[in-house]
Amino acid sequence: ETLVILSSFTKLFSRILQTYTQVYDLMADVETKKLETQLREQIFSLTTPQEIVEIFLEKISTIISYNAVSIVLYDEQKKCWDIVATKLHKQNTYLPIHHTVDIEHSLVGNALQHKTVQHIKDIAQLSQPRFSFNEKQLIISNSGTFLALPIITSEQCCGVLTIESQEKDAYSSTDIVNIQHLISLLSLALELQRKNFLIENYISLEENTKVYTKQFFHKRLEEEFRRNYDAKSTISVILLSFSSLLEIKNRYGELGIIEVKSTIAKILKEYTRLYDVIGEYDEQTFGILLINNSGNDALVWAEKLRTKIANTIITVKNKNFSVTATMGICSATNSMTKQECLSHAKNMLEQAR
């Protein structure tokens, strides 16, 4: 009789536990749906990957237990995978922003290369680093749970979301499924942003020179001058004009003008960094914006560029010739407006001609 009673109590407790689990899963599902709605309303209107991932981390941190969450994306300039955003809870230190991931020898690298979830229920049992071998020097926890979930678009794996808790086995399979569902929104937002960026760049570039059109050059100037004001740094604007436009046109026609401008544009790209700005200012003039560049540095840069252009042979219709470049330079402080800087550079260009 005692065994029968114990058996019935065991079954009762089992049903109660199952009910509580179902209720917990239902509540988690409701929270996930609410968060999904909030994310849909916000992240698809954002214009940069950084804005998207920061909002995503802010939102997802409200429905999970964690000590550290981070997102890894590809850095086009450094040609490597970096941590671009982190959020901490009850923890003061973690890997810094721009920390580079060791793709070949880390859990995050595994998630990226194989597009699979890396679920470590006990960090103490790890045989390889989470991000890189030097992470141990940066005082991050040696116990708890670690998740690395790939962010997969229709084309490729574009990043990884990592979640870390100091508790062992902190995340259930239901938790992971819910997080993956939200990651699908993140991947869609990042993919949409990327395609919008490519489209905008395509329509913003001159067909032959592949530098910004006059309209988009001025738009980028506005953006960079606002950023310069916030950062309280120095930028330099250079207007570059090439010689003998009318003579080239008379001798070689429009093909000659296209070849000259394409050649100069190619040289400009070689002599600038990825984050500098190049655009057409008018038919005979290029505009260049050098970021974090003082007046003296701009003068040295301009002289090297002038020499390079003068020494470059241009060939049109089996005939060789060269052109010279004249430049006007203005180094802008953070109090100077875009129009003031352009006006000063234009005056300097006119004086130099």
Side-chain angles (χ1 to χ4, degrees), residues 196-197 199-206 211-224 277-281 289 338:
N196 285 339
F197 175 79
I199 291 169
E200 182 174 303
N201 272 271
Y202 178 78
I203 64 174
S204 67
L205 298 180
E206 287 287 352
V211 300
Y212 283 120
T213 62
K214 183 175 182 179
Q215 177 187 353
F216 276 87
F217 176 67
H218 280 275
K219 180 184 175 184
R220 285 298 313 278
L221 283 186
E222 288 284 1
E223 293 169 355
E224 293 301 333
V277 181
I278 311 168
E280 293 201 3
Y281 186 76
L289 178 65
K338 178 202 83 170

Side-chain angles (χ1 to χ4, degrees), residues 66-84:
Y66 74 99
N67 290 102
V69 289
S70 75
I71 288 182
V72 171
L73 296 178
Y74 189 69
D75 188 312
E76 295 283 356
Q77 294 182 18
K78 292 170 61 180
K79 304 300 180 185
C80 60
W81 295 89
D82 279 2
I83 295 175
V84 297

Side-chain angles (χ1 to χ4, degrees), residues 115-165:
K115 302 180 184 178
T116 56
V117 174
Q118 305 294 302
H119 183 191
I120 306 303
K121 298 180 180 181
D122 184 2
I123 292 172
Q125 304 300 318
L126 271 178
S127 59
Q128 63 181 143
R130 282 158 276 188
F131 297 89
S132 64
F133 284 109
N134 64 343
E135 66 187 31
K136 293 179 181 178
Q137 304 168 12
L138 300 167
I139 320 173
I140 60 176
S141 175
N142 290 319
S143 63
T145 308
F146 181 77
L147 274 176
L149 302 106
I151 304 167
I152 302 171
T153 66
S154 62
E155 299 172 346
Q156 60 185 353
C157 181
C158 69
V160 171
L161 168 70
T162 74
I163 307 171
E164 193 162 328
S165 172

Side-chain angles (χ1 to χ4, degrees), residues 140-313:
I140 60 176
S141 175
N142 290 319
S143 63
T145 308
F146 181 77
L147 274 176
L149 302 106
I151 304 167
I152 302 171
T153 66
S154 62
E155 299 172 346
Q156 60 185 353
C157 181
C158 69
V160 171
L161 168 70
T162 74
I163 307 171
E164 193 162 328
S165 172
Q166 292 178 0
E167 297 180 14
K168 295 180 182 179
D169 200 9
Y171 308 111
S172 68
S173 57
T174 301
D175 293 330
I176 294 173
V177 168
N178 286 337
I179 294 167
Q180 286 179 303
H181 179 68
L182 296 173
I183 287 176
S184 67
L185 289 179
L186 172 62
S187 64
L188 188 60
L190 289 171
E191 185 172 16
L192 182 63
Q193 184 277 330
R194 176 66 177 169
K195 283 181 166 50
N196 285 339
F197 175 79
L198 292 173
I199 291 169
E200 182 174 303
N201 272 271
Y202 178 78
I203 64 174
S204 67
L205 298 180
E206 287 287 352
E207 182 180 357
N208 297 308
T209 60
K210 303 304 183 211
V211 300
Y212 283 120
T213 62
K214 183 175 182 179
Q215 177 187 353
F216 276 87
F217 176 67
H218 280 275
K219 180 184 175 184
R220 285 298 313 278
L221 283 186
E222 288 284 1
E223 293 169 355
E224 293 301 333
F225 267 81
R226 285 197 297 270
R227 188 176 291 117
N228 181 64
Y229 179 81
D230 293 338
K232 295 181 171 54
S233 59
T234 304
I235 54 180
S236 295
V237 171
I238 299 170
L239 295 181
L240 181 154
S241 182
F242 57 90
S243 61
S244 310
L245 175 67
L246 186 58
E247 183 181 344
I248 294 168
K249 203 167 189 175
N250 288 338
R251 285 190 179 187
Y252 308 105
E254 286 298 326
L255 180 61
I257 299 297
I258 291 171
E259 193 60 38
V260 168
K261 292 174 73 172
S262 297
T263 300
I264 294 176
K266 183 179 178 181
I267 295 171
L268 283 172
K269 290 173 187 175
E270 291 174 1
Y271 275 68
T272 51
R273 301 156 295 184
L274 286 173
Y275 47 85
D276 294 326
V277 181
I278 311 168
E280 293 201 3
Y281 186 76
D282 60 33
E283 186 183 13
Q284 193 174 348
T285 307
F286 289 94
I288 306 103
L289 178 65
L290 301 179
I291 310 296
N292 294 326
N293 191 288
S294 66
N296 289 336
D297 291 337
L299 284 170
V300 172
W301 179 88
E303 181 56 31
K304 290 179 180 178
L305 181 68
R306 186 193 65 77
T307 302
K308 173 68 176 178
I309 291 172
N311 292 334
T312 299
I313 302 300

